[in-house]
């Protein structure tokens, strides 16, 4: 392969030791955010939530800690590097064309999500604040008021539902073990347990987010689409909702700890 070709440049960038190290940092800070979101979800049950039980709430928690600005800029760097690594990897996928394009699209989608979260983190690192729930509702309102917006929002809901279903499948079938070099012995079993619980919990939460998006599209009410915070608080309002939400919170914490294991053992 010609090192000067686009694929050659991309492969060289992907194999860069500093980028790989920062991508691992990205997995770790993503884990930290999920742990904080998990605790915020549990705090909703006990009426102790001081903010949104979502990414914005987690970032606000970091901003309020001593050295919060440093932590937030670390989050920004890690998430941006992880997004960049995934974007580069998307153009280096080989194999069966059917699977290649699917994996490429998945990597690009994940990269976009990390870039968006990194941009949100910049706002908090600079001393500002934003609400993920309000942003989601505002985006839904703009879509609903535009031509074809209802259809687009409905398709977006179905896409999020599919992603949530994939997370549940990936956890239940232990497909995530292909993403990292599994440690042996009790450590490996612990990582598998964390992954199963974490992926299923995150999949369920994404499923609830998807349902709220679909309801917003069907009822033409953008306030129904309130993101992760609204989804968790919707769970709290269900029969046995407190038990469900505590279980989901524990699951999100497990996913966060799994992300630390992935930062340690990820196949990059």
């Amino acid at each position: 392969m010609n090192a000067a070709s686009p694929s050659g440049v991309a492969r060289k960038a992907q194999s860069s030791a500093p980028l790989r190290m920062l991508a691992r940092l990205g997995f770790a800070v993503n884990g930290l955010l999920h742990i904080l979101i998990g605790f915020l979800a549990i705090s909703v049950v006990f009426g102790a939530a001081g903010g949104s039980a979502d990414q914005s709430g987690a970032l606000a928690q970091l901003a309020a800690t001593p050295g919060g600005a440093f932590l937030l800029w670390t989050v920004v760097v890690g998430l941006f590097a992880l997004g960049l690594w995934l974007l580069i990897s998307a153009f280096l996928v080989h194999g069966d064309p059917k699977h290649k394009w699917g994996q490429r699209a998945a990597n690009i989608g994940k990269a976009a999500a990390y870039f968006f979260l990194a941009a949100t983190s910049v706002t908090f690192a600079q001393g500002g604040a934003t609400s993920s729930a309000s942003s989601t509702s505002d985006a839904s309102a703009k879509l609903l008021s535009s031509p074809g917006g209802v259809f687009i929002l409905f398709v977006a809901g179905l896409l999020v539902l599919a992603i949530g279903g994939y997370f549940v499948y990936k956890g239940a079938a232990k497909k995530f073990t292909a993403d990292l070099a599994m440690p042996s012995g009790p450590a490996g079993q612990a990582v598998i347990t964390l992954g199963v619980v974490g992926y299923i919990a995150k999949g369920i939460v994404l499923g609830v987010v998807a349902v709220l998006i679909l309801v917003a599209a069907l009822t033409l009410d953008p306030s129904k689409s309130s993101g992760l915070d609204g989804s968790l608080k919707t769970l709290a309002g269900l029969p046995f909702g407190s038990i469900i939400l505590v279980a989901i919170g524990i699951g999100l914490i497990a996913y966060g700890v799994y992300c630390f294991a992935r930062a340690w053992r990820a196949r990059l």
Side-chain angles (χ1 to χ4, degrees), residues 4-74:
S5 66
S7 57
V9 172
R11 189 169 297 281
K12 184 177 180 180
Q14 185 196 45
S15 61
S16 165
L19 181 58
R20 286 172 178 258
M21 180 183 69
L22 291 174
R24 291 184 187 277
L25 173 64
F27 285 122
V29 296
N30 187 42
L32 175 61
L33 293 179
H34 276 85
I35 290 171
L36 291 174
I37 293 170
F39 278 114
L40 287 170
I42 293 172
S43 71
V44 169
V45 174
F46 300 101
S52 299
D54 56 15
Q55 295 90 339
S56 295
L59 292 169
Q61 290 283 325
L62 287 179
T65 62
F70 172 78
L71 288 173
L72 286 167
W73 282 115
T74 301

Side-chain angles (χ1 to χ4, degrees), residues 20 28 41 75 94 131 142 151 158 183 187 190:
R20 286 172 178 258
V75 169
H94 297 290
S131 170
K142 289 179 181 178
F151 174 75
L158 292 178

Side-chain angles (χ1 to χ4, degrees), residues 84-168:
L84 180 60
W85 187 85
L86 285 166
L87 187 61
I88 293 170
S89 299
F91 295 97
L92 296 174
V93 176
H94 297 290
D96 182 359
K98 294 180 180 178
H99 295 95
K100 179 175 69 175
W101 285 104
Q103 187 176 349
R104 182 169 290 174
N107 279 357
I108 292 174
K110 287 187 285 187
Y114 285 124
F115 286 145
F116 177 79
L117 187 51
T120 303
S121 303
V122 169
T123 300
F124 282 88
Q126 293 177 331
T130 185
S131 170
S132 296
S134 296
S135 297
T136 303
S137 293
D138 290 345
S140 297
K142 289 179 181 178
L143 273 177
L144 290 174
S145 63
S146 63
V150 174
F151 174 75
I152 294 172
L153 189 61
F154 189 80
V155 171
L158 292 178
L159 179 59
V160 175
L161 185 62
I163 293 172
Y166 176 72
F167 265 85
V168 172

